[in-house]
Amino acid sequence: MRNIHIAHVIENSKFNSFHLSVLLWCIFLILFDGFDLVVYGAVIPSLGEAWGTAPSVLGMIGSLTLVGGLIGSLFCGVLADKVGRKAVIITCVALFGTFTLLTGFAKGPVDFAVYRFIAGLGLGGVPPLLVVLTSEYSPKSIKNMMVAIMFSGYSIGGILVSLLGMNVIPALGWNWMFFIGAIPLLAIPFLIKFLPESLYYYVEKGEYKKAGAIVKRLNPSYEPQENDRFINGLSTTGVPVAKLFEKRRGRSTIMFWIACFMGLLMVYGLGTWLPQLMVEAGYPLKSSLLFLFSLNIGAIIGSICGGWLADRIGSKRVLISLFTFGAICLIFLGLKPGTVILYVLVAVAGAATIGSQNLNNAFISIFYPTDIKSTALGWALGIGRFGAILGPAMGGVLIELKLPVYMNFISFAIPAMIAAIAISFIQVKYKSSGNTKEYAFDSEFRHQYEKID
C-alpha cells in the first residue's frame, strides 16, 4: 500500500497541458467576471443621457451591484469548502450570465439596479474560487506567477470593455455591452465536462478513482495501484471562519481584510469613474475610454511582473512597494501632466492598484492552509467588497462636488497608502508552510509517496 501526499504531487509537478487547461479556463471566467463588473463604468455616460439620472444615483447603482458581490463572495467561499469548487463556480456563472443578459433589456434605473444586484451575487462568488483553484493546481515554484497571470484576465476584460465600448456603444447602444457580457452562458456545458474539481476535495470525499485520474494528468509518471491511499493532511474539524484566527493568524487576517478593502475601493472606484473623471477634466469620451484601456494594460503588466518578483523575493515586499508607488502615481495624475505622461501614469497606476490587488489575492491563497483557502479568500474579498461598494459611490459624490481634479485623485491615493501600511503588519512567519516536507516523484520525484507494509 502507498500513501500518496497530493500536496507533494501538485507542488513538485512540472507545468504541463493539464496546468495550462486549468489556467485557461480560469482566465476565461475571470475575463468575463471583470468585463461584467467594469462595463458599468463604460455605459454610465450613456445611461445618464438616456434616463437623466444624477451621477450620485448612478454611483449608488454601481455600488448595489457590489453589495450583491459582497454577499456572493462571503457565501460562496464557505460553501465551496463544503460542496466543492466546481459546482459553485458553475452556479455563479449561470447566475451572473443570466442576469447580465437581462440587464441589456432594462427599461429604467429600477429594473437595471435589480438585475445588476442579482448578477453581482454570481460575480462576487467567482474570483475567490478561481484564485483557489489556480493556486491549488500550481507548481510551488510558479504559484504566484500562475495566480497573477490568471487574475490578469480581469484586466483583459476591462480592455475589451474599452475597445468594444468605443465602437459598440455609438453603433448599437449600451444594451449590447451587456449582451456580450453574457457569453459565458454558452460555455456552461463545456465547464461541466472539462473544468476540474479540486483534487483536495476529491480526496476529502473519498473519491479516489477521480483523484487518481487527476494525479496521472499532473504527473504522467504516476502508475495507479489498487491499494493507493491519497492523503491531503488537512484538518476537517472546527468552524472554517474561526480557523482564520487560529495559530497566531488573527492579526494577519485583519490586515488582509484592510488591504482588500482599500484595494477594491481603488479598483472599482477607478474602474467605474475613470472615464467620467477624465470627461470632467476635459477629455473626450473616446480618449477617456483609452485611459481605461491604459489602466488595465498596466494592471496586466503589474500582475505578471509582480507575480514573478513575488516568487523570488516574497509577496509582502512586492505589495508594499506597489501600493506605495501606486499612491504616488495617483497624486501625479491629479496634476494634469501632458497627454503622453498621463497615459504612462494611468498605466503605472493600474499596475500598482489593480495589479497589487491581484497579487494580494495570490498572497492570501498561499498564506492559509488548503482546507480554509476558499474561506480565507471569500472572507477577505467579501470584506473588501465593502470598499468596492464605497468606491463607485465615492466617485459619484466626487463628481457632484465639482472638486479640483487633483483632489479626486488624491482621494484614491490615500487608500493605496493605507493598504501598504496594512500589508507591512502581516506576519509572514505564521503563514502555512505545508503539512509535511516536500518530496519528489519517481525518477524525477523519488519520494512522492510512501510505501507501507
Side-chain angles (χ1 to χ4, degrees):
M1 180 185 292
R2 300 180 299 181
N3 280 348
I4 300 177
H5 296 272
I6 60 173
H8 308 155
V9 176
I10 296 171
E11 293 189 352
N12 294 304
S13 63
K14 293 184 177 180
F15 188 85
N16 60 30
S17 60
F18 177 76
H19 299 93
L20 181 62
S21 68
V22 173
L23 182 61
L24 291 177
W25 274 118
C26 291
I27 288 174
F28 171 79
L29 292 177
I30 203 70
L31 185 156
F32 278 97
D33 188 274
F35 183 99
D36 281 0
L37 283 170
V38 173
V39 70
Y40 185 60
V43 303
I44 275 182
S46 301
L47 295 178
E49 291 179 9
W51 296 335
T53 309
S56 58
V57 175
L58 291 171
M60 291 303 296
I61 291 175
S63 294
L64 187 62
T65 307
L66 298 168
V67 172
L70 164 64
I71 298 170
S73 182
L74 294 176
F75 178 73
C76 292
V78 176
L79 184 63
D81 283 330
K82 300 296 184 183
V83 304
R85 323 280 194 239
K86 181 174 180 175
V88 179
I89 288 172
I90 292 173
T91 301
C92 287
V93 171
L95 187 64
F96 84 69
T98 299
F99 283 90
T100 296
L101 181 66
L102 290 174
T103 302
F105 294 105
K107 300 300 182 184
V110 175
D111 53 340
F112 184 95
V114 171
Y115 294 147
R116 290 295 288 165
F117 170 77
I118 300 174
L121 295 171
L123 290 167
V126 168
L129 300 182
L130 296 183
V131 173
V132 169
L133 197 64
T134 302
S135 176
E136 285 184 351
Y137 279 121
S138 298
K140 187 175 182 179
S141 61
I142 57 170
K143 192 178 291 287
N144 279 292
M145 175 70 79
M146 278 191 65
V147 174
I149 291 173
M150 183 280 295
F151 228 100
S152 68
Y154 177 93
S155 299
I156 296 173
I159 291 170
L160 286 178
V161 168
S162 305
L163 296 177
L164 292 172
M166 288 184 286
N167 299 290
V168 171
I169 295 175
L172 301 174
W174 62 266
N175 315 68
W176 275 89
M177 295 297 289
F178 291 97
F179 297 154
I180 294 169
I183 286 176
L185 285 174
L186 303 176
I188 288 178
F190 301 98
L191 290 171
I192 293 171
K193 182 174 178 61
F194 296 112
L195 184 70
E197 179 55 89
S198 165
L199 179 56
Y200 293 95
Y201 178 77
Y202 279 148
V203 173
E204 185 70 15
K205 297 301 178 182
E207 299 184 35
Y208 298 131
K209 185 174 182 181
K210 293 179 180 178
I214 290 181
V215 169
K216 180 68 175 177
R217 296 185 67 185
L218 283 166
N219 197 318
S221 65
Y222 165 69
E223 294 296 334
Q225 295 182 12
E226 185 176 349
N227 294 324
D228 283 349
R229 185 171 70 175
F230 297 93
I231 295 176
N232 59 23
L234 304 179
S235 170
T236 60
T237 61
V239 180
V241 177
K243 289 184 181 180
L244 302 181
F245 295 88
E246 293 178 353
K247 299 182 179 179
R248 299 188 179 183
R249 291 191 290 259
R251 187 175 93 179
S252 298
T253 293
I254 298 298
M255 293 302 107
F256 275 128
W257 289 0
I258 292 172
C260 279
F261 181 97
M262 297 300 167
L264 289 177
L265 185 153
M266 292 185 293
V267 169
Y268 289 100
L270 290 173
T272 301
W273 286 108
L274 183 64
Q276 193 66 21
L277 286 172
M278 293 304 182
V279 168
E280 295 292 319
Y283 297 94
L285 178 59
K286 181 171 286 191
S287 175
S288 299
L289 286 171
L290 285 174
F291 283 123
L292 195 59
F293 175 86
S294 299
L295 186 79
N296 285 286
I297 283 289
I300 293 173
I301 296 172
S303 296
I304 295 174
C305 294
W308 181 85
L309 275 174
D311 282 325
R312 284 153 181 79
I313 66 173
S315 300
K316 183 174 177 176
R317 293 178 182 176
V318 174
L319 280 168
I320 292 172
S321 301
L322 277 177
F323 275 126
T324 303
F325 199 44
I328 295 170
C329 288
L330 285 168
I331 291 171
F332 278 111
L333 271 176
L335 302 180
K336 296 184 69 174
T339 303
V340 174
I341 296 176
L342 192 59
Y343 276 113
V344 172
L345 285 174
V346 169
V348 175
T353 54
I354 301 174
S356 294
Q357 181 56 39
N358 294 347
L359 291 174
N360 192 32
N361 295 334
F363 192 12
I364 294 169
S365 73
I366 63 175
F367 185 87
Y368 293 92
T370 300
D371 57 330
I372 56 172
K373 282 183 189 292
S374 290
T375 300
L377 264 168
W379 273 78
L381 292 177
I383 298 299
R385 294 282 171 180
F386 287 107
I389 291 164
L390 178 61
M394 185 177 81
V397 171
L398 289 173
I399 294 291
E400 287 200 350
L401 289 176
K402 303 292 184 182
L403 296 174
V405 173
Y406 72 90
M407 287 299 297
N408 294 332
F409 287 101
I410 287 176
S411 298
F412 285 109
I414 293 172
M417 285 307 305
I418 295 174
I421 294 169
I423 293 294
S424 71
F425 281 101
I426 289 173
Q427 298 172 294
V428 179
K429 62 183 177 180
Y430 296 128
K431 81 179 183 71
S432 172
S433 58
N435 300 301
T436 49
K437 288 172 56 181
E438 293 177 19
Y439 295 93
F441 199 95
D442 280 350
S443 59
E444 295 175 276
F445 309 126
R446 289 187 304 274
H447 307 293
Q448 194 74 57
Y449 35 65
E450 302 169 353
K451 291 186 178 180
I452 300 176
D453 294 332

